[in-house]
Amino acid sequence: MAYFDCASSAPLHPVARQALLAALEEGWADPARLYREGRRARLLLDAARETAAEAVGCRPDELVFTPSGTRAVHSGVAGALAGRRRAGRALVVSAVEHSSVLHAAEAHEAAGGTVVRVGVDRTGRVGPAAYAEALGPGTALACLQSANHEVGTEQPVAEVARACAAAGVPLLVDAAQSLAWGPVDAEWSLLAGSAHKWGGPAGVGLLAVRKGVRFAPQGPADEREFGRAPGFENLPAIVAAAAGLRAVRQEAGEEGGRLRALVERIRARVPELVPDVEVVGDPVRRLPHLVTFSCLYVDGEALLHELDRAGFSVSSGSSCTSSTLTPSHVLRAMGVLSEGNVRVSLPPGAAEGDVERFLDVLPGVVSAVRERLGAPVSAAGAGDAGAFAGEAGALAGEAEAEEAAAFGGEAGPSPASAGAVGGEQPALTVDSLGKRCPVPVIELAKVIGDVAVGEVVAVLSDDEAARLDFPAWCEMRGQEYVGERPAERGSAYLVRRRA
């Protein structure tokens, strides 16, 4: 099995494993006690803090260990906002932050605070000028991730940090995805990280708060971790986390270059092998190990299941793989296709042969899933994808009847006379109410050629993903997205034929 989901959780690094086992023997006592076992535990904790601080780029007394990366973010946001209450109650975040940041922002908003969300471009990158403009009077804190967890795009942290410094606003950086590859080269004020993202054990996060930053820890007071992370320290896990971070940093230069080359191969070959694919994220300013792409006319859940059966563990931001049936907030903010979304994040040591095997299997898997859904066959690249359909068809055959039922039977248009919608008189209306992505887009693709150039097709849909996937489909297929109009049920999505 090839594990390609390092961005969710990296395998435990061998050095971290060794450190964990050793610390279980030596670091079980209370590091706050003065007897021999306590002093030995304290030495381990101090050494781990120094190691982590060196990797982060801060003083040891500026860094505390938390029970998770999420807790580090929540504590950092809450403490910084409380410490700067007199400055204002506005919090600035990017639209593509990790959910831990966005949930903290929602809690702040619910408590009466203000949240300003800065949009991103189609690569998932914030504009430094737009971010600087959001730093208005009353801004207490700004948050920006160092690199995006879903598409790998690196953010302009240094430029934003300079804008924050000029405005007198502290900047919290969520560096969970990037710490394995190097320190955040910017004048940040607070920084959060998560050990299981870099090959340490789960259940350890870190929070760094620069000296001079106004910070008021929230919750009951506790003497542990300078009063910023209450509770008994999980010392063996902390020691393993610090050892793992130091180890991956030592390997980052060589391993990062090797993985970047493998990712470049995926980025280049997937569009050649699979028709109707959008590779998303910044092609240059990105993490070395991560690539994300979306496939038209594909159910993301089915695609991930078939890749799992073929021996590949990958993840997705597709609405079809979530319990809410809404596209990932990252893809939605970027305005890119969410159908058939696949994130490949290679772990250290990923084999070139596994990447080649993934590229061999992927076209057939996509082709088989599309065939089950009745998707139109693209002229470009259809022959290449079809060559692999046999192997994927064998993998997918067992689930065919079950999936067809889940999607409401065979996909197909339901033309109806709908009259004018929002001033546009559609030449054809397709009823896709009650059908999940990607069926509504498939039904549009099947009938767009039935109307004359310049005429409008209306698709009725109550799937939340339609708001993202119809505009993305139009951009990929050279059609014009007219807009969304309210309908008796759901919405009517209007598309004008241009090609």
Side-chain angles (χ1 to χ4, degrees):
M1 192 77 179
Y3 182 76
F4 286 174
D5 195 22
C6 188
S8 291
S9 188
L12 191 63
H13 193 283
V15 170
R17 183 185 299 276
Q18 293 172 4
L20 178 64
L21 295 175
L24 286 170
E25 293 291 334
E26 298 292 330
W28 49 267
D30 186 346
R33 301 305 175 204
L34 298 179
Y35 42 71
R36 180 181 303 143
E37 293 86 355
R39 294 197 306 272
R40 187 159 54 229
R42 184 72 199 188
L43 288 173
L44 289 173
L45 179 58
D46 289 344
R49 197 184 312 278
E50 290 176 4
T51 297
E54 181 181 6
V56 167
C58 67
R59 292 169 37 164
D61 60 351
E62 294 174 329
L63 185 144
V64 299
F65 293 104
T66 65
S68 68
T70 294
R71 175 55 62 190
V73 166
H74 291 176
S75 298
V77 171
L81 287 172
R84 283 180 46 84
R85 184 179 291 271
R86 291 184 180 179
R89 299 210 64 196
L91 169 65
V92 178
V93 301
S94 84
V96 294
E97 294 298 311
H98 188 269
S99 59
S100 61
V101 174
L102 299 184
H103 291 161
E106 290 168 2
H108 177 61
E109 211 166 23
T114 302
V115 177
V116 179
R117 297 169 176 84
V118 183
V120 297
D121 62 19
R122 200 170 170 82
T123 70
R125 194 172 191 265
V126 301
Y131 204 103
E133 187 177 348
L135 301 171
T139 300
L141 177 66
C143 298
L144 183 64
Q145 59 190 187
S146 54
N148 186 260
H149 51 292
E150 288 196 25
V151 300
T153 297
E154 293 178 338
Q155 298 294 353
V157 178
E159 295 96 316
V160 169
R162 286 194 290 269
C164 288
V169 176
L171 175 66
L172 184 152
V173 176
D174 173 14
Q177 290 294 334
S178 70
L179 273 181
W181 306 107
V184 177
D185 187 17
E187 293 302 316
W188 47 267
S189 303
L190 303 95
L191 182 143
S194 185
H196 74 102
K197 303 291 187 180
W198 67 65
V204 179
L206 59 82
L207 172 63
V209 181
R210 297 283 196 195
K211 293 294 183 183
V213 174
R214 299 186 70 87
F215 190 88
Q218 298 302 285
D222 192 291
E223 70 276 9
R224 304 278 176 176
E225 292 298 292
F226 308 112
R228 292 177 181 170
F232 194 93
E233 298 94 343
N234 184 351
L235 186 53
I238 287 172
V239 170
L245 182 55
R246 180 171 55 189
V248 297
R249 279 292 186 79
Q250 292 172 345
E251 302 163 357
E254 182 177 351
E255 187 64 9
R258 191 183 72 86
L259 294 181
R260 185 175 291 274
L262 293 177
V263 165
E264 284 292 352
R265 191 178 308 180
I266 297 172
R267 291 182 64 91
R269 289 187 59 189
V270 165
E272 296 173 354
L273 296 169
V274 182
D276 297 318
V277 164
E278 181 179 17
V279 180
V280 299
D282 196 297
V284 178
R285 293 171 294 191
R286 57 173 177 78
L287 294 171
H289 68 302
L290 194 154
V291 55
T292 301
F293 55 88
S294 299
C295 308
L296 267 179
Y297 316 133
V298 171
D299 165 30
E301 185 173 3
L303 183 55
L304 264 60
H305 282 323
E306 299 308 327
L307 286 171
D308 178 55
R309 294 173 66 181
F312 299 97
S313 300
V314 298
S315 63
S316 172
S318 170
S319 61
C320 300
T321 64
S322 69
S323 59
T324 61
L325 297 183
T326 58
S328 112
H329 69 276
V330 172
L331 301 179
R332 187 165 60 245
M334 294 169 62
V336 297
L337 184 70
S338 74
E339 292 178 17
N341 180 262
V342 175
R343 180 185 70 179
V344 174
S345 49
L346 303 177
E352 181 179 359
D354 286 339
V355 171
E356 284 299 321
R357 190 166 61 86
F358 175 78
L359 292 170
D360 287 343
V361 166
L362 179 68
V365 169
V366 174
S367 179
V369 173
R370 283 173 172 168
E371 185 177 355
R372 290 208 307 274
L373 295 175
V377 178
S378 172
D384 292 337
F388 296 97
E391 180 180 352
L395 290 169
E398 299 173 15
E400 184 170 354
E402 180 180 344
E403 184 171 336
F407 278 84
E410 183 178 353
S414 301
S417 177
V421 182
E424 290 284 352
Q425 180 69 41
L428 184 63
T429 298
V430 178
D431 184 356
S432 286
L433 294 169
K435 298 177 181 178
R436 285 173 50 192
C437 71
V439 172
V441 174
I442 290 175
E443 294 186 342
L444 169 63
K446 284 182 174 181
V447 303
I448 192 71
D450 296 342
V451 302
V453 172
E455 290 186 330
V456 172
V457 174
V459 183
L460 304 177
S461 176
D462 52 6
D463 184 355
E464 180 68 23
R467 288 192 173 89
L468 186 59
D469 288 347
F470 279 119
W473 180 87
C474 289
E475 180 159 334
M476 292 179 70
R477 306 306 295 166
Q479 310 297 347
E480 178 188 350
Y481 180 65
V482 178
E484 174 188 353
R485 304 290 185 267
E488 186 176 344
R489 278 183 57 205
S491 298
Y493 297 90
L494 307 181
V495 175
R496 191 186 313 277
R497 184 182 176 190
R498 290 300 188 196

